[in-house]
Amino acid sequence: METNPLFETLNPPQRILMGPGPINAYPRVHQAISSALIGQYDPVMTGYMNQVQTLYRGVFETQNQQTFLIDGTARSGIEAVLVSVLQPGDKVLIPVIGRFGHLLCEIAQRIGAVIRTIDIEWGEVCPPEKVEAAIREFQPKMLATVQGDTSTTMNQPLAEFGEICQRYGVLFYCDATASIAGNDLKVDEWHLDAVSAGLQKCLGGPSGSAPVTLSERCVEVINRRKHVEAGIRTDQHQDGEDAPILSNYFDLAMIMDYWGPERLNHHTEATSMLYAARECARIYLEEGGDRVIARHKQAGQAMATGLSAMGLKLFGNQQYKMNNVVGVYIPQQADGDKVRQELLNRFGIEIGTSFGPLHGKIWRIGTMGYNARQECVLMTLAALEAVLLKAGVPVAPGQAVAAAMDIFGA
């Protein structure tokens, strides 16, 4: 009698995830997720919530009181910020350096915002003078950016953007999903008003929780739209003077009250994901942010150096490459998808393809979180070299691993 696969014990294959994300979580994060569930108002649970806020202030390098989690994937953090700040008719300026800049446009358009883009060739970043000129002419309420866009592997410099936004009184939002914990991100120093992130990249956790942080200036804008739903409202609650936020689930005004001293009920906190987010931040801060970022930089440099030594060509302006993802052109003699499939089936290693104009032209190879270490880089390079040689692609045998080992040193 055949076993119904619906009732088989879950047993996913072991993979080494070396794509642009998600990646393999730290073992400690897996352990944290398996911890016992407790009620959302249990004092132990609310204590963990307070700890998470403190921990992520350290990760974001901010003093922002309003630093907390959105229950959902990284995209939920993006949508929560944009829908809570932007009203229909508000102007938003969006530099587009890749696919995820287009995502910001998509969400802002659904809100009804008036959008102006600065369209940058994929593989480059947006110069600050273009942002300043557009702000002077367009006078937006918000500048919305992506720091590390994995579709192009570029890392947008933010410090000058922040200074420009300060001078012109523009709110500055950044999606740092793919860059946080692998590249410098200094929220207060760079004058960022809102940042959202995710766990599944350099923070080394599973997708499903989105850390966010909001400046006091941003909080004031959001609270002007405050509206407490009827079922939990008391006589002490007062609505803000602006139009209510157009989403209930992503209403940051109510979510801030849920995470704040009032503990005003909004949703049931995703307990296991909170455990995961807490452990990701603990690992980052225990190792030390500078050390973690240096580890990502070294692993990324070793991967890029190894690919070049193999004879492959890197994609994009390497001056602005993310530490944690490298783009590499697929050799003309290779079938990109077949190579990826062979890596997965024979070696259990996953690398990424790309989107839009780069689909079928480059692979994206990540070195993130738990996988930003020597053995993962060397195994990936050795496996890719073997698959390419088997396919008859002219690469330089033995050079990639040796060159990467030199980057890691003795």
Side-chain angles (χ1 to χ4, degrees):
M1 181 176 174
E2 291 188 7
T3 304
N4 186 334
L6 295 176
F7 298 102
E8 290 179 356
T9 301
L10 193 66
N11 187 30
Q14 294 293 319
R15 308 291 199 199
I16 302 173
L17 303 181
M18 299 296 289
I23 48 77
N24 301 93
Y26 290 106
R28 278 174 50 182
V29 175
H30 285 288
Q31 185 177 19
I33 290 173
S34 67
S35 300
L37 299 180
I38 52 180
Q40 64 175 328
Y41 294 115
D42 187 309
V44 175
M45 180 63 178
T46 54
Y48 288 153
M49 292 172 73
N50 291 339
Q51 289 177 8
V52 162
Q53 292 186 281
T54 300
L55 288 164
Y56 276 92
R57 289 184 193 110
V59 174
F60 282 119
E61 296 193 33
T62 184
Q63 298 298 315
N64 290 342
Q65 176 64 31
Q66 297 302 342
T67 302
F68 50 89
L69 305 177
I70 303 297
D71 288 344
T73 62
R75 189 171 300 205
S76 72
I78 300 170
E79 189 147 352
V81 171
L82 293 182
V83 77
S84 296
V85 173
L86 297 175
Q87 300 184 50
D90 281 344
K91 294 179 180 180
V92 57
L93 176 65
I94 304 175
V96 177
I97 66 170
R99 178 211 166 169
F100 295 101
H102 287 297
L103 173 62
L104 300 186
C105 295
E106 162 82 13
I107 295 172
Q109 185 177 39
R110 287 172 182 255
I111 293 166
V114 178
I115 302 160
R116 176 172 295 188
T117 62
I118 303 173
D119 297 308
I120 301 298
E121 180 185 354
W122 286 28
E124 296 290 342
V125 296
C126 183
E129 56 268 22
K130 286 195 173 186
V131 168
E132 183 165 13
I135 285 176
R136 280 202 308 265
E137 181 184 345
F138 185 53
Q139 298 183 340
K141 178 179 185 177
M142 171 186 278
L143 172 69
T145 62
V146 176
Q147 184 183 28
D149 196 313
T150 54
S151 68
T152 66
T153 73
M154 294 295 104
N155 192 55
Q156 174 66 57
L158 299 176
E160 290 183 80
F161 285 11
E163 191 274 331
I164 293 166
C165 287
Q166 281 279 299
R167 277 194 281 123
Y168 289 92
V170 174
L171 290 170
F172 184 20
Y173 162 67
C174 174
D175 164 23
T177 300
S179 53
I180 193 170
N183 306 266
D184 284 327
L185 177 65
K186 301 180 185 299
V187 170
D188 289 355
E189 184 178 327
W190 295 347
H191 306 297
L192 283 149
D193 290 294
V195 182
S196 65
L199 304 185
Q200 74 273 18
K201 310 279 187 176
C202 302
L203 279 167
S207 178
S209 184
V212 300
T213 188
L214 308 169
S215 72
E216 290 185 12
R217 184 166 69 139
C218 192
V219 169
E220 289 174 9
V221 171
I222 293 168
N223 278 334
R224 288 202 293 267
R225 305 181 67 188
K226 188 168 185 174
H227 171 81
V228 178
E229 61 189 68
I232 56 175
R233 188 185 184 92
T234 70
D235 293 339
Q236 295 179 351
H237 291 126
Q238 293 185 343
D239 287 344
E241 60 269 27
D242 288 353
I245 292 165
L246 295 177
S247 169
N248 177 284
Y249 188 71
F250 294 136
D251 185 324
L252 289 182
M254 286 204 293
I255 294 173
M256 286 188 285
D257 281 343
Y258 177 56
W259 280 80
E262 189 177 358
R263 298 291 176 193
L264 185 65
N265 184 263
H266 177 259
H267 63 283
T268 302
E269 182 59 25
T271 310
S272 297
M273 285 307 305
L274 182 135
Y275 295 163
R278 177 179 179 273
E279 198 62 25
C280 288
R282 288 180 67 225
I283 291 169
Y284 177 81
L285 295 173
E286 282 177 8
E287 185 176 345
D290 290 344
R291 289 190 182 91
V292 177
I293 292 168
R295 172 163 59 85
H296 280 83
K297 186 174 183 178
Q298 182 183 50
Q301 184 183 356
M303 181 66 77
T305 301
L307 292 168
S308 294
M310 196 187 298
L312 303 182
K313 182 182 177 184
L314 303 183
F315 170 77
N317 186 339
Q318 295 303 292
Q319 181 181 352
Y320 297 108
K321 186 189 83 66
M322 299 168 68
N323 289 335
N324 51 298
V325 189
V326 60
V328 58
Y329 283 100
I330 300 168
Q332 288 185 348
Q333 305 90 334
D335 182 319
D337 288 339
K338 283 186 178 179
V339 169
R340 291 176 60 241
Q341 201 64 41
E342 188 108 344
L343 279 172
L344 192 67
N345 292 337
R346 290 187 182 272
F347 294 93
I349 296 174
E350 178 181 280
I351 66 172
T353 182
S354 195
F355 309 107
L358 296 179
H359 180 69
K361 295 183 179 179
I362 70 169
W363 292 309
R364 296 175 300 149
I365 305 177
T367 49
M368 302 191 221
Y370 184 56
N371 293 347
R373 50 196 170 102
Q374 180 172 197
E375 54 266 45
C376 291
V377 173
L378 300 185
M379 283 189 290
T380 302
L381 288 169
L384 179 60
E385 178 188 297
V387 171
L388 290 176
L389 286 171
K390 180 174 177 289
V393 178
V395 296
Q399 298 303 305
V401 169
M405 288 172 68
D406 286 342
I407 299 298
F408 285 110

